[in-house]
Amino acid sequence: MDIITRRQYAEKVDSWLGKSHIIVVVGQRRVGKSYVLKDFIQRHGSDPVANIIYIDKEKRKFGFLTNGDQLGDYIEEHFDSSRHNYILVDEIQDIEGWEQPIRSFRTEENTDIIITGSNSKMLSSELSTLLGGRYQEIYVQSLSYLEFLEFHGLPDNDDTLQAYLNYGGLPGLRMVGLESEEHVWEYLQGVFNTVMLKDVIERHKIRNIPFLNNLITFLSDTTGKINSATSISKFMKSQNLDVSANVILDYTRYYTEAYLVNEVRRYDIPGKKLIETNQKVYFGDVGLRNLIAGGEREADIEKVIENVVYQHLIRLGYQVFVGELRVGEIDFVCKKPNQTKYVQTAYIIDNEETRDREFGRLADIKDNYPKYVISMTPLVKSRDYDGITHLGLREFLKNGLS
């Protein structure tokens, strides 16, 4: 099957070539990090000056590379100082001590290094120490709606949007196909099991696996709701599960480090400051969220829309927070340098009460930053209500906050 270039990531990777920075491609397993490397080879491999050294730790042929010394020896053996060397290492976290040879080869002339990894503890919070600060991180997400159309050859219509909201955007579904719902859920179950086993259970030596599964189920069921470790602990005790708040904090961090979920902090809009307590959780892929929560559930549509909108805002390059007002909550405060936007999500706005609730909260914000309501209300593409833009979900997923 041909490799489809994901232009957003191809352009980001290429923009950092030749800048003496290690390019670190991160994200959850099976979101397509490996194909970012394979696409790079496809796009640059025909360059006669290019010498591409590609190591895929998920392939048996590279099983012998288990430590930094072996990695350094392999790269040295294939290095060609007369050409431009591109060193590509996929799933580098499986090589103990990988950072020393990677740091060393970064200093070579005419050399670019691109590595991928699935665990953010090693490849984010510790990265500055491991690589001496000379790196650029590129976060790969599951497919956008437009990529979903391209990967599956589908038309842009309500049925396709429903499939996207239900199954999510893991690229591997292209090979599985969407014709058999049973096959889709079996594929997603396999991805989820691998993430939990490799990046959570084995990495952190988890013994209380039943509670690990109960907690991720709870988070899927309360997607988009503000929770605290203390409130979750109290709820679990009501279900005869006595687990401390500290354990809940640890386990939630493990999910986050595996990019399975994202924790979103709260932002005090009037005070223009972050709130340290209590957060929301959204899933990196809504298909996995739906799998964990129990498949297609009509009552979950607002949670699903909110999760999809959050992920697309991240894809558009915003820092995203949950907005807090004295009169209520704003779903998202979206920030870029010198830019702030407010976003409220809803399923269908079909009566005055719903309209007053969703638009009224935004109207209560006493500043002039752009404000949006995103919904699946039929026939809505883009409308303006007293300075607040009402966007259809499909329109937003195609054109952003235009």
Side-chain angles (χ1 to χ4, degrees), residues 227-247:
N227 281 311
S228 69
T230 300
S231 67
I232 296 173
S233 178
K234 289 179 180 178
F235 172 79
M236 292 297 176
K237 285 179 181 178
S238 74
Q239 306 297 307
N240 299 317
L241 294 170
D242 191 3
V243 181
S244 72
N246 285 337
V247 170

Side-chain angles (χ1 to χ4, degrees), residues 350-370:
D350 58 357
N351 58 59
E352 189 171 343
E353 180 183 354
T354 305
R355 184 177 296 108
D356 289 345
R357 182 180 68 246
E358 304 300 345
F359 286 84
R361 289 183 186 175
L362 291 171
D364 285 329
I365 303 174
K366 304 306 179 184
D367 61 37
N368 296 318
Y369 293 127

Side-chain angles (χ1 to χ4, degrees), residues 264-265 274 310 313-314 316-322 332-337 339-341:
V264 183
R265 299 171 69 185
L274 289 173
Y310 166 78
L313 289 168
I314 295 296
L316 294 173
Y318 291 101
Q319 276 190 299
V320 182
F321 308 95
V322 177
F332 302 119
V333 179
C334 313
K335 288 185 170 291
K336 289 183 180 180
Q339 185 181 137
T340 298
K341 296 181 179 181

Side-chain angles (χ1 to χ4, degrees), residues 18-41:
K19 292 182 169 57
S20 297
H21 275 57
I22 298 165
I23 301 169
V24 184
V25 181
V26 299
Q28 179 197 286
R29 288 181 187 265
R30 303 294 180 263
V31 293
K33 300 185 304 297
S34 299
Y35 278 85
V36 171
L37 298 190
K38 292 176 181 177
D39 175 67
F40 181 91
I41 295 170

